[in-house]
Amino acid sequence: MADAAPTGTIADTVARLALWCRRADHGFIRAIFYDGRSREAAVRQLENQLTHRNVSFHRLDLPPAASADALALRLADELARLGPGVVSLTGFERSLPTSGPTLEAALLALNSRRENFVVPGQHTIWWFPRHIAQALIREHRDLNSWFLRRVELTETLSSPTELELDSLEHEAIRLSNSAAYAEAEPLLRQIVASQEESFGSGDPRLAPALNNLASLLHDTNRLAEAELLFRRALRLQEESFGPAHEITAFGLNSLASLLEDTSRYAEAEPLLRRALAINEENLGPDHPRVAAALNNLSNLLTNTGRSAEAEPLLRRALTIQEKALGPDHPESAAAAVNLGGLLVGAGQFDEAERLFRRGLAIHEDSFGPEHPIVATTLNSLANLLQHTSRHSEAEELMRRALQIDEARLGPSHPDVAIRLHNLGRFVLEARRVIEAKALLYRSLCILAASSAAAGHSLSGLTIASESYRRLLLQLGVKRRDAERQMVELLMEHGLSRKKSKQLART
């Protein structure tokens, strides 16, 4: 008989977990880990063993939650949806935003609802980072006691430097998910710099860090730098994994999103179609990543006037997400909101409103009421309310969306410009011309400056220019004078004379 693996190693941990999963009817096991790479190796080996024995195995990574109660409720729903089998549960270290509850409050919420986590025939492995496990043991002995089995994975595959970077990455992603961009950015830059020093600038291990930093820069409107990083990460992914790998598809989607935001639709579309084909080939037609790729492609089709082609893609994406992740998952909510936006254009207001309100409730529950994702959903719902003559409610939602984005993204972000433009058009229809002019003027200035900085026209620039020009004409400014004012304004904010003249005459 072969000697048993030393206690705390990956092999020992996997053996203990597999034995428990075979012998116990159901229950919870607490697994402490020190190193994310070691934990991932243990989960992968356990999954292989159990799958060969025809045991259902699920990975569940907790999404961001606005509150401790929301975290506990979402966890109960997800576990019930998965049903019998083995669930590997991760993500405690990044599931709560920095503005949310303390760790103690989160543990109390878990403890108060622990009966809701019991699913007949289900074994749940709760992977706790060491610092959270210590808090659990110290603060809540009662909660700790309902883990009938406990294991500790002490083996590490990473160097001390890699362990530190792994911890920084978890914290940076958590901060980014909660829109705490100013706090997340220095951590992400530190990770990139450290990995470049350790691995070299052409090492494929740099790609995730480059993508994380690029995504933050994209979100905070540093588009030129974000594009360079996305392209660099994609090149590393293609060289390392090949042009048809699912990791390459992730890089394609990321770059295409930025291209679409800068009106380069013809360049973005083949990237999105290629990413969709890769994911379908590698993951099958019903995988959540396929749904995300369908969602991305349908948005581009909608923005380029091909709504009839986009609608079946969005409906398919929503069906996949609901089946794979559940109807109350943030990804399902995103698909619902996107489908609702398309239906507004088709005049199907009742179904669109149901989708918007459902998406808004999920986003508020998952991310909190002051997150930029919530602002986007509020803006979509406000647009529908305008179409159905509920003007007072629409204005209230538009102002709330503007307030959220100004606070979380800053006063010069393109999303703020879109909110200003929508509100400006709204108050203009209500004949509040002076207020409308101030809003539309500010919107155009932001979009012009952002386009100049990016080196490409942002997707909202043309319509903002058209709206401001029409307002000047409505105020009695002669056409030639209106165009002159527009050119001066646009050039003042960095656009070329040629581009400024083109926009002024739109």
Side-chain angles (χ1 to χ4, degrees):
M1 180 175 171
D3 293 337
T7 301
T9 61
I10 293 172
D12 170 67
T13 303
V14 171
R16 290 172 183 271
L17 292 173
L19 183 63
W20 171 71
C21 292
R22 293 199 303 270
R23 289 185 174 178
D25 291 333
H26 63 271
F28 312 106
I29 191 166
R30 187 197 71 208
I32 301 175
F33 69 95
Y34 292 69
D35 175 4
R37 288 177 62 191
S38 298
R39 180 200 63 194
E40 176 57 27
V43 171
R44 187 167 57 249
Q45 291 181 27
L46 179 63
E47 181 178 13
N48 289 338
Q49 284 193 26
L50 296 176
T51 301
H52 289 154
R53 294 187 173 95
N54 295 318
V55 176
S56 297
F57 188 92
H58 309 282
R59 297 179 182 228
L60 177 57
D61 194 56
L62 292 175
S67 67
D69 287 340
L71 173 64
L73 290 170
R74 184 170 297 284
L75 175 56
D77 288 343
E78 293 283 352
L79 292 174
R81 179 181 62 81
L82 292 173
V86 177
V87 179
S88 176
L89 179 62
T90 57
F92 290 97
E93 65 270 33
R94 59 184 181 276
S95 60
L96 296 169
T98 53
S99 59
T102 62
L103 175 60
E104 182 178 0
L107 295 174
L108 280 170
L110 291 173
N111 192 30
S112 67
R113 291 182 171 82
R114 63 191 188 188
E115 294 82 3
N116 297 336
F117 306 143
V118 178
V119 177
Q122 185 180 90
H123 303 78
T124 311
I125 304 166
W126 301 61
W127 289 97
F128 287 107
R130 186 169 179 269
H131 72 281
I132 293 183
Q134 288 178 326
L136 176 70
I137 295 167
R138 182 178 64 251
E139 301 291 344
H140 297 292
R141 294 186 180 276
D142 185 38
L143 173 59
N144 187 56
S145 68
W146 56 273
F147 291 102
L148 301 179
R149 298 286 187 276
R150 293 178 281 277
V151 299
E152 188 165 1
L153 175 60
T154 56
E155 180 178 353
T156 59
L157 298 178
S158 305
S159 67
T161 299
E162 289 174 322
L163 286 173
E164 181 182 358
L165 291 179
D166 187 56
S167 176
L168 285 176
E169 181 184 25
H170 283 306
E171 179 65 7
I173 291 173
R174 185 175 70 88
L175 291 167
S176 294
N177 285 340
S178 60
Y181 300 119
E183 297 170 64
E185 183 175 344
L187 300 184
L188 293 173
R189 289 192 183 278
Q190 180 182 343
I191 292 167
V192 170
S194 297
Q195 290 188 344
E196 285 182 323
E197 183 177 351
S198 299
F199 307 141
S201 60
D203 193 290
R205 286 174 289 183
L206 268 173
L210 293 171
N211 256 314
N212 288 335
L213 177 57
S215 294
L216 181 143
L217 295 170
H218 186 184
D219 288 340
T220 53
N221 195 36
R222 269 83 56 82
L223 303 182
E225 185 182 359
E227 182 175 347
L228 291 174
L229 294 177
F230 277 139
R231 290 189 183 277
R232 183 179 164 196
L234 178 58
R235 184 172 62 254
L236 293 175
Q237 290 161 338
E238 289 181 317
E239 290 174 356
S240 177
F241 300 101
H245 195 280
E246 58 200 73
I247 293 178
T248 300
F250 177 83
L252 291 167
N253 272 315
S254 298
L255 176 58
S257 175
L258 185 144
L259 294 172
E260 186 176 356
D261 284 349
T262 50
S263 305
R264 287 174 280 175
Y265 301 112
E267 189 178 350
E269 183 171 345
L271 301 186
L272 293 174
R273 291 192 182 277
R274 181 180 156 200
L276 174 59
I278 292 171
N279 282 328
E280 287 183 314
E281 177 67 24
N282 284 278
L283 304 171
D286 298 322
H287 195 278
R289 288 188 199 167
V290 172
L294 288 165
N295 195 55
N296 293 337
L297 178 58
S298 64
N299 282 341
L300 182 143
L301 294 171
T302 301
N303 289 333
T304 53
R306 291 172 282 174
S307 297
E309 187 180 351
E311 182 173 348
L313 300 186
L314 277 173
R315 290 193 182 277
R316 181 184 163 200
L318 181 57
T319 299
I320 293 171
Q321 299 286 32
E322 289 179 328
K323 183 178 179 181
L325 304 173
D328 295 328
H329 194 279
E331 294 294 330
S332 299
V337 170
N338 287 335
L339 177 57
L342 186 146
L343 295 176
V344 169
Q348 300 177 47
F349 299 128
D350 290 343
E351 184 181 2
E353 182 168 355
R354 287 194 297 271
L355 293 169
F356 285 150
R357 293 195 182 276
R358 170 187 158 195
L360 179 60
I362 296 169
H363 284 153
E364 287 182 321
D365 181 51
S366 298
F367 300 102
E370 305 301 322
H371 195 281
I373 291 175
V374 172
T376 299
T377 312
L378 287 168
N379 192 63
S380 298
L381 178 56
N383 181 49
L384 180 143
L385 294 170
Q386 280 185 268
H387 279 86
T388 53
S389 301
R390 286 171 282 177
H391 301 298
S392 177
E393 187 180 356
E395 182 173 357
E396 181 182 347
L397 297 187
M398 281 190 282
R399 291 191 182 278
R400 182 183 161 199
L402 175 59
Q403 184 178 30
I404 291 171
D405 278 346
E406 284 185 313
R408 303 304 288 271
L409 302 176
S412 300
H413 194 280
D415 285 0
V416 171
I418 299 302
R419 310 289 176 251
L420 289 165
H421 177 266
N422 292 343
L423 183 58
R425 292 287 295 269
F426 176 88
V427 300
L428 182 60
E429 290 180 9
R431 301 183 186 281
R432 289 144 54 189
V433 179
I434 302 301
E435 183 182 3
K437 184 179 180 182
L439 293 167
L440 294 176
Y441 174 86
R442 186 178 160 205
S443 172
L444 181 57
C445 291
I446 294 171
L447 288 169
S450 297
S451 297
H456 299 277
S457 296
L458 270 64
S459 56
L461 178 61
T462 299
I463 191 171
S465 299
E466 181 181 356
S467 295
Y468 191 68
R469 177 174 173 274
R470 286 182 177 178
L471 176 60
L472 291 177
L473 296 176
Q474 187 175 331
L475 289 171
V477 179
K478 293 181 179 179
R479 185 177 301 275
R480 180 180 297 177
D481 291 337
E483 291 180 1
R484 178 181 52 78
Q485 289 183 33
M486 290 277 295
V487 170
E488 291 175 354
L489 169 63
L490 295 169
M491 290 181 63
E492 181 182 344
H493 287 85
L495 295 182
S496 67
R497 178 175 293 276
K498 179 180 179 181
K499 183 65 176 177
S500 298
K501 285 184 176 181
Q502 178 187 343
L503 291 167
R505 293 167 181 166
T506 300

